[in-house]
Amino acid sequence: AGSLMTTKLSQPQSTLAKSLTSTSTNAPYFKALESTEIPPYVTNCPSNGLCSRLPPDCMTCNTNYSCIYGKTATFDCKVKPHVHCVDENNHELENFTINMTCQFCWQLATSDYVCTNSTNCMTVSCPRQRYNATCTVRDHIHCLGNRVFPKMLYCNWTGGYKWSTALALSITLGGFGADRFYLGQWREGLGKLFSFGGLGIWTLIDVLLIGVGYVGPADGSLYI
């Protein structure tokens, strides 16, 4: 994915215009084929929706060089070919303006983009591990720069283990290692089972450790 804000320095000669200057006798035939071809981006562009709500792939905008970082700025935009949109009064537009905060995509709030997740890093390690994620800006969110960018994120995936279930097992059946078995920690579970919960001491310690979240699933995931 590219940048939303692109500067129009010159209008490149289109493929259709080139076909008009071709000396081939089949030029009219190729022209007809190209003029009816629908670009791939059209499938992601809502028909007759609000121009201000179009995804960035459906429009071309000029860079606003007077844009002040962190401030709201106005950008002049134009819909791409085969895209139809309207204003608040249901009037079809080709040229329109959008208002957005002057900032790069990687500076957006975390709720404005979606990132890949990792199931290979430990969420309960100390210090807490990070992983390389690829993030994509959500549709209808406008920003400067690349809409797909790398970012270092904390491990925050979950394997489906519930903290409440682990704590309940630790309180009721912790002496038999049920809490450790549930969390996938088989060695510790067997140790508690054959030592009768460390004569009760290990059981009490595990109740405290699971209660504060210090002991988590063996796969390194977070509780849900």
Side-chain angles (χ1 to χ4, degrees), residues 151-162:
K151 198 161 191 176
M152 290 289 293
L153 298 178
Y154 283 112
C155 300
N156 60 352
W157 65 285
T158 178
Y161 295 94
K162 292 184 177 181

Side-chain angles (χ1 to χ4, degrees), residues 121-129 155 213-223:
C121 57
M122 301 290 290
T123 61
V124 293
S125 64
C126 185
R128 191 175 175 186
Q129 289 186 4
C155 300
Y214 184 81
V215 173
D219 58 7
S221 63
L222 292 174
Y223 286 116

Side-chain angles (χ1 to χ4, degrees), residues 35-115:
S35 62
T36 58
E37 184 180 356
I38 303 299
Y41 60 80
V42 175
T43 58
N44 299 323
C45 304
S47 179
N48 294 324
L50 286 175
C51 294
S52 59
R53 298 290 293 174
L54 281 177
D57 290 340
C58 306
M59 67 179 77
T60 301
C61 298
N62 292 328
T63 301
N64 186 346
Y65 290 103
S66 63
C67 171
I68 300 176
Y69 175 74
K71 302 294 184 180
T72 302
T74 301
F75 294 81
D76 295 322
C77 301
K78 180 179 180 180
V79 293
K80 289 184 177 180
H82 302 282
V83 177
H84 303 279
C85 66
V86 298
D87 60 9
E88 290 77 5
N89 297 321
N90 206 31
H91 296 150
E92 186 170 352
L93 297 177
E94 182 177 356
N95 298 290
F96 58 95
T97 60
I98 61 171
N99 295 321
M100 55 170 279
T101 303
C102 182
Q103 63 182 351
F104 289 100
C105 294
W106 59 270
Q107 297 172 316
L108 290 171
T110 55
S111 59
D112 292 335
Y113 53 82
V114 179
C115 300

